[in-house]
Amino acid sequence: MKRDGHRESRKTDGGSSPAGSNPPEPAAQAAFASYAAPLVSDAIAYANAVRDDPSPEALHKLRVSLRRLRSLWWAFAPLLEKGENTRQRALYKYLANAAGKTRDWDILIELIRHEDVAANSLTPTLEEARGNALTTSRETLTNADVKHLLREALTSASTDINTAHERVPLHKFASKRVAASERSLMKRAKRARRARRSNYAAFHDVRKAGKKLRYLLEFFEPVLSGSHKRTLKRLKQVQKRFGALNDIVASEMLLRDNASLLAGSGDTEGVLHWFHKERKRRMRSAAGLLRKL
């Protein structure tokens, strides 16, 4: 990925400031809670909303907020106890997957309606399956006690991160983590360019790495040197195009996994044929964007 132009950094490493200059920036350890606390609050609010709001948007916002939390914990991993950080990131993934099971049905239904696939007779069965998934998602999130789990995770991580004696300037720490995330994206993009067109997993890895880098840039952009607007624009393009591919792949898999449930509901084979053709088209589109990274 081509880098944006950089301007000279005016940030300090946290030492004493000349008279009249800006105060020294905080250490990464001190800044952690200012990033994490709002994300935790958002995730709790969205989890509460899902109990009363069955709309696809409520589930989508919850899943995104949990992914952002997972990316933030990855960013601060060098300052956190490894085992605890791994467990907390696994928690965010578990909760996101709970919401995602219903969201997958939403995407499938939306694709069929939007693309005018000849599968109107499938819709009632899909809606019923979506309702059952929502019930399970709600039960999982309620039983998990999201509010308690996330607040406990925040408290634990904040305590852990501030026990270290060595302080790391925030802009230096952020720059290193963004650079590490960018290297990860480039490595996965290179692997995907060399992979067979049928190797969706390689494309999926690019999507995840691109999303992580985008989140980190959004978190840390105010303390980074230079402008990252062009990079963010490219990452949004990656997320949109690779996300469209993921929607098709996940929906096709959902249909195949529930073939017995949908038997007799409509032209399932015809719909699967459409998804197969659409997957190939979107794979070509994603591959074209890969060459520009």
Side-chain angles (χ1 to χ4, degrees):
M1 180 174 290
K2 297 178 181 177
R3 294 179 177 274
D4 296 317
H6 287 267
R7 61 177 177 268
E8 183 180 355
S9 174
R10 296 187 296 274
K11 303 172 181 69
T12 70
D13 284 354
S16 59
S17 302
S21 66
N22 293 329
E25 66 165 300
Q29 288 87 343
F32 170 74
S34 67
Y35 290 112
L39 294 179
V40 167
S41 295
D42 285 347
I44 291 171
Y46 294 139
N48 289 336
V50 167
R51 290 202 299 262
D52 305 313
D53 182 0
S55 71
E57 188 64 18
L59 287 158
H60 177 63
K61 288 181 177 179
L62 173 59
R63 191 159 62 163
V64 169
S65 70
L66 290 165
R67 285 172 174 169
R68 287 171 62 84
L69 273 171
R70 197 160 182 256
S71 294
L72 184 69
W73 255 249
W74 179 90
F76 279 87
L79 305 181
L80 289 163
E81 192 275 319
K82 184 176 180 180
E84 183 64 17
N85 183 50
T86 300
R87 285 189 291 274
Q88 290 184 5
R89 291 187 67 230
L91 166 65
Y92 303 142
K93 184 176 182 179
Y94 167 76
L95 295 175
N97 286 342
K101 292 183 184 304
T102 303
R103 179 62 180 157
D104 288 344
W105 286 104
D106 287 328
I107 293 170
L108 171 57
I109 293 169
E110 182 180 349
L111 277 169
I112 287 177
R113 286 175 176 167
H114 180 70
E115 299 295 344
D116 196 26
V117 179
N120 290 334
S121 57
L122 278 177
T123 302
T125 305
L126 297 178
E127 292 281 8
E128 182 180 357
R130 193 265 183 191
N132 293 334
L134 176 61
T135 299
T136 301
S137 292
R138 283 172 164 170
E139 289 177 353
T140 301
L141 294 170
T142 299
N143 293 337
D145 192 358
V146 175
K147 180 178 179 180
H148 173 75
L149 281 176
L150 295 188
R151 286 186 173 175
E152 187 178 66
L154 174 59
T155 299
S156 175
S158 296
T159 300
D160 182 29
I161 209 168
N162 282 291
T163 56
H165 297 294
E166 182 181 357
R167 303 283 97 175
V168 183
L170 177 58
H171 84 270
K172 183 181 292 186
F173 176 80
S175 296
K176 287 184 177 180
R177 295 308 284 160
V178 167
S181 181
E182 188 171 21
R183 287 193 300 271
S184 176
L185 172 59
M186 292 300 98
K187 180 179 179 180
R188 283 157 177 74
K190 183 178 180 180
R191 184 182 302 157
R193 284 193 291 266
R194 294 177 174 177
R196 291 179 180 273
R197 193 63 58 83
S198 59
N199 184 0
Y200 170 69
F203 282 69
H204 188 53
D205 285 344
V206 172
R207 174 174 174 260
K208 291 190 294 182
K211 190 175 296 185
K212 181 188 293 181
L213 178 57
R214 176 188 171 184
Y215 290 156
L216 263 60
L217 286 173
E218 291 173 345
F219 293 147
F220 296 132
E221 189 174 22
V223 300
L224 295 172
S225 299
S227 171
H228 296 270
K229 290 183 179 180
R230 286 194 302 167
T231 299
L232 279 168
K233 183 178 180 179
R234 288 195 294 272
L235 290 172
K236 288 176 182 178
Q237 290 175 334
V238 169
Q239 190 168 341
K240 182 178 180 179
R241 196 170 299 185
F242 280 66
L245 170 61
N246 183 70
D247 288 348
I248 286 291
V249 173
S251 294
E252 182 183 0
M253 186 179 300
L254 191 60
L255 274 175
R256 293 189 184 280
D257 289 346
N258 290 274
S260 59
L261 174 67
L262 299 170
S265 300
D267 184 14
T268 308
E269 285 303 315
V271 177
L272 285 171
H273 178 69
W274 177 83
F275 272 105
H276 180 70
K277 288 174 59 179
E278 188 65 12
R279 172 161 53 87
K280 286 187 173 181
R281 187 185 72 81
R282 296 193 186 192
M283 284 283 279
R284 288 194 297 270
S285 178
L289 185 58
L290 263 181
R291 292 190 289 269
K292 299 178 182 180
L293 287 180

